[in-house]
Amino acid sequence: MKNIRAACVLLLLPVSVCFGQAKKIPRDSITRILKSQPSFSVYKDNYFITGTTVEEKPSNYNSDIKMQISFKQRLSNSVMPFKSYLYLTYTQKSFWKIYQHSSPFEETIFNPGIGLGKFIFKEGRHIGFGTLQLEHESNGTDSIFSRSWNSLSVSYLAIMSEKFSILGKFWIPFSLSDNTNLTNYIGYGEITLDWEFVKNKFDANIIFARGHNSI
C-alpha cells in the first residue's frame, strides 16, 4: 500500500486523488518507484458527466454534457539539471449540447504544457514536490471569438502529514492581447488544502484574483 501511495505523488495525479494519501518516504525509494512507473499517466481529472441548471425544469436547452481528458508523458527517466524531471501535459475539456438538435459542441478548451518537476527532501525524507511549467490554453478559434492565454507557473506540494497536504500554484500570464481583462477571472494563483477524513476528502480552494472577481 505504501508503494501505491508514493506512486500517486510521482505521477502527478490530481490533488484530490493523491495528495491526501501522500506519505513521507526515503529518497532512494522515490527514485526506485519513479523508474518502475509507466512514463504515460493520468494528469488532471478525467470525467464524463451530465447535468442541468439548478432550480429550473430540465430541458434540451439548459442541460448538457461536460467531459475532460487529461494525461502526462514523462520524457525521460534520467535526471535533468537540479535533479529534476521533464514532462509534457495535455488537457482537453468540452461542453456538449447533446440534447439539442444536431447535438453541437458549445466549446472545447485545449491546454498543452511542458514542465520540470523536482522532489523536495529534508534529512533524507520526501517532504514535497515542486514544479516549473509553461502552459497554453485556448478555445481553438481566432479573431473576436478567440479566448487564449499563456502562463509560466510554479507550484509546490507540501506534505504536512499522511492526511494533510497543501498545494500552492502561482502563475504569470502573458500574451493576453485578445483577453486583457482575463486576470480578473483567473487570478494569479490558487492554494489547495487537502485533508483526508478516513476515505473521504475535503478540498478548499482559494483563488487570488484582481478586481471585482477577487475571492
Side-chain angles (χ1 to χ4, degrees), residues 65-83:
I65 281 178
K66 179 181 179 181
M67 55 186 177
Q68 177 172 287
I69 58 171
S70 183
F71 55 84
K72 179 180 70 71
Q73 175 67 49
R74 192 175 67 248
L75 298 182
S76 174
N77 285 332
S78 60
V79 179
M80 303 289 290
F82 307 105
K83 297 183 178 180

Side-chain angles (χ1 to χ4, degrees), residues 4-131:
I4 294 176
R5 290 174 175 172
C8 287
V9 178
L10 294 170
L11 295 177
L12 296 178
L13 293 183
V15 175
S16 59
V17 175
C18 297
F19 290 175
Q21 299 178 345
K23 298 189 71 174
K24 295 183 179 180
I25 55 179
R27 183 190 298 265
D28 56 349
S29 296
I30 288 223
T31 303
R32 184 179 67 254
I33 294 171
L34 176 65
K35 291 183 177 180
S36 68
Q37 296 301 316
S39 59
F40 183 83
S41 61
V42 173
Y43 180 47
K44 298 180 181 178
D45 292 330
N46 288 265
Y47 55 81
F48 186 95
I49 57 177
T50 186
T52 189
T53 304
V54 178
E55 298 181 350
E56 290 186 16
K57 183 179 179 180
S59 70
N60 294 347
Y61 297 95
N62 64 7
S63 305
D64 59 10
I65 281 178
K66 179 181 179 181
M67 55 186 177
Q68 177 172 287
I69 58 171
S70 183
F71 55 84
K72 179 180 70 71
Q73 175 67 49
R74 192 175 67 248
L75 298 182
S76 174
N77 285 332
S78 60
V79 179
M80 303 289 290
F82 307 105
K83 297 183 178 180
S84 60
Y85 298 87
L86 184 66
Y87 60 89
L88 293 174
T89 62
Y90 181 77
T91 302
Q92 182 173 314
K93 182 188 301 181
S94 296
F95 300 88
W96 188 8
K97 298 290 186 180
I98 191 172
Y99 305 111
Q100 295 184 17
H101 178 67
S102 77
S103 302
F105 277 87
E106 180 180 21
E107 185 174 47
T108 297
I109 300 172
F110 308 91
N111 178 207
I114 185 170
L116 285 172
K118 177 178 173 60
F119 299 102
I120 309 300
F121 296 88
K122 181 179 181 180
E123 298 178 354
R125 305 288 288 181
H126 173 229
I127 62 170
F129 190 85
T131 67

